[in-house]
Amino acid sequence: MTNSELDLLATEGRLPAAAGLDLRSTREQVDLMAEQDRVAVDAVASTRDRLVEAIDATVARLRRGGRLIEVGAGTPGRLAVLDVAECRPTFGVDERQVIAVMAGGFGAVRSAAEHDEDDLDGGRADLEALGPGPDDVVVAVSASGRTPYVLGALAAARAAGAYTVAVVNNAGSPIAAASDVAVEALTGPEVVAGSTRLKAGTAAKLVLNTISTLVMVQLGHTHGDLMIDVRATNDKLRRRAQRIVQEATGEPEDAVAAALAASGDETKTATVMLLAGVDAAEARRRLAAAGGFVRAAVTPDGP
């Protein structure tokens, strides 16, 4: 991308409402930031149809054993790492099924490595190292829609037949054009010109939240709105697991505690034990036969 092309990006422009930002009161500055954050939310809402398309395609592929792979550089890469890292404790998903790829590796999460964003071949090599296939979904995240590292990863994904999703903040970008579906959350100029960690980053996080969360919901990793597959690995999460099973079953605290103990703190297993009146082994069998869905595991004519 030439310098002149970069200068024309909406996310590189100046926001008229932010003129004289440093001369305003703190209250005025906070009000402006809040106003622009609402722009990000509205921009994501406008992509609803593309989000539905991306989520449905991802669910279908993960049901066949595919993986969700999120790729980015700089702020989008850090957001991808954050989104993926939270999937395991929240949804109990295997860390091999949801993967983040970031320019500069995970060290770049803590320390900026912007030069790696320009490494087209590095993006291609990092994605190829995962051995992508037709049942995998690669989500390419880039505010500009032109990041070379992400374009390289996207090229490798497409060559392997993976399904590709663009998450970008500029219209008509190369990354969008090279993807099966493009989620274009058009957030425009930033309060601090060019600082796409602001509302462009907010919009990208909202999009990633929506995709990963609703994919996991449709794969049976929640029960209603309850985090039924939570990994109870600390005191807070153990207490959360207790509340979740109580909410799902209506059983008293002592019965829930006993079921959790018998199931090895498997929240979903304990829930099926109490709802179906079975032991842990039978609850696990039912869940396996029901594809992990609690409702199907406890129906009278179910598994």
Side-chain angles (χ1 to χ4, degrees):
M1 180 171 55
T2 66
N3 289 335
S4 60
E5 290 173 328
L6 177 64
D7 292 342
L8 293 175
L9 294 177
T11 50
E12 293 294 324
R14 295 186 66 186
L15 181 70
L21 177 65
D22 56 328
L23 302 176
R24 301 187 186 190
S25 70
T26 303
R27 181 176 296 278
E28 290 171 327
Q29 291 172 342
V30 169
D31 286 346
L32 178 61
M33 289 288 289
E35 175 186 289
Q36 292 303 306
D37 285 342
R38 285 191 288 272
V39 170
V41 173
D42 291 342
V44 172
S46 72
T47 70
R48 179 184 61 186
D49 291 345
R50 301 287 78 78
L51 280 169
V52 169
E53 186 177 344
I55 291 164
D56 286 346
T58 301
V59 169
R61 285 161 177 79
L62 266 63
R63 281 179 175 155
R64 297 197 295 263
R67 298 170 295 176
L68 173 61
I69 304 169
E70 299 180 5
V71 182
T75 296
R78 295 182 185 97
L79 293 171
V81 170
L82 174 63
D83 189 55
V84 166
E86 293 290 351
C87 282
R88 183 169 174 79
T90 304
F91 302 112
V93 64
D94 191 314
E95 60 188 9
R96 294 169 296 183
Q97 189 178 34
V98 183
I99 302 168
V101 178
M102 180 174 181
F106 293 126
V109 174
R110 182 176 60 181
S111 300
E114 277 81 357
H115 57 282
D116 290 312
E117 298 182 21
D118 295 333
D119 190 355
L120 182 85
D121 291 336
R124 182 182 291 111
D126 286 350
L127 205 289
E128 287 176 345
L130 295 175
D135 286 336
D136 292 329
V137 176
V138 174
V139 180
V141 194
S142 167
S144 69
R146 290 163 167 77
T147 307
Y149 179 90
V150 179
L151 279 166
L154 189 57
R158 291 186 64 81
Y163 185 84
T164 53
V165 180
V167 178
V168 297
N169 301 106
N170 284 280
S173 69
I175 287 174
S179 298
D180 291 301
V181 60
V183 180
E184 297 178 309
L186 306 181
T187 48
E190 300 284 3
V191 170
V192 175
S195 183
T196 51
R197 71 183 184 87
L198 299 177
K199 62 185 175 183
T202 298
K205 186 176 191 307
L206 291 172
V207 170
L208 294 178
N209 282 351
T210 301
I211 292 173
S212 62
T213 299
L214 298 185
V215 165
M216 294 303 149
V217 168
Q218 293 191 34
L219 291 176
H221 293 295
T222 66
H223 180 58
D225 63 332
L226 296 174
M227 199 186 297
I228 203 70
D229 260 329
V230 64
R231 295 293 179 92
T233 54
N234 63 25
D235 288 343
K236 179 189 74 174
L237 294 176
R238 280 187 284 273
R239 183 59 193 165
R240 181 179 295 167
Q242 175 85 23
R243 290 199 311 272
I244 287 169
V245 179
Q246 284 185 253
E247 289 282 348
T249 66
E251 295 290 337
E253 188 168 344
D254 57 346
V256 168
L260 283 167
S263 68
D265 284 330
E266 294 175 5
T267 310
K268 181 183 281 186
T269 301
T271 299
V272 174
M273 289 170 64
L274 292 171
L275 288 175
V278 297
D279 63 15
E282 174 63 10
R284 292 189 188 102
R285 187 200 69 77
R286 285 171 171 247
L287 282 166
F293 287 86
V294 170
R295 296 185 201 281
V298 300
T299 52
D301 55 352

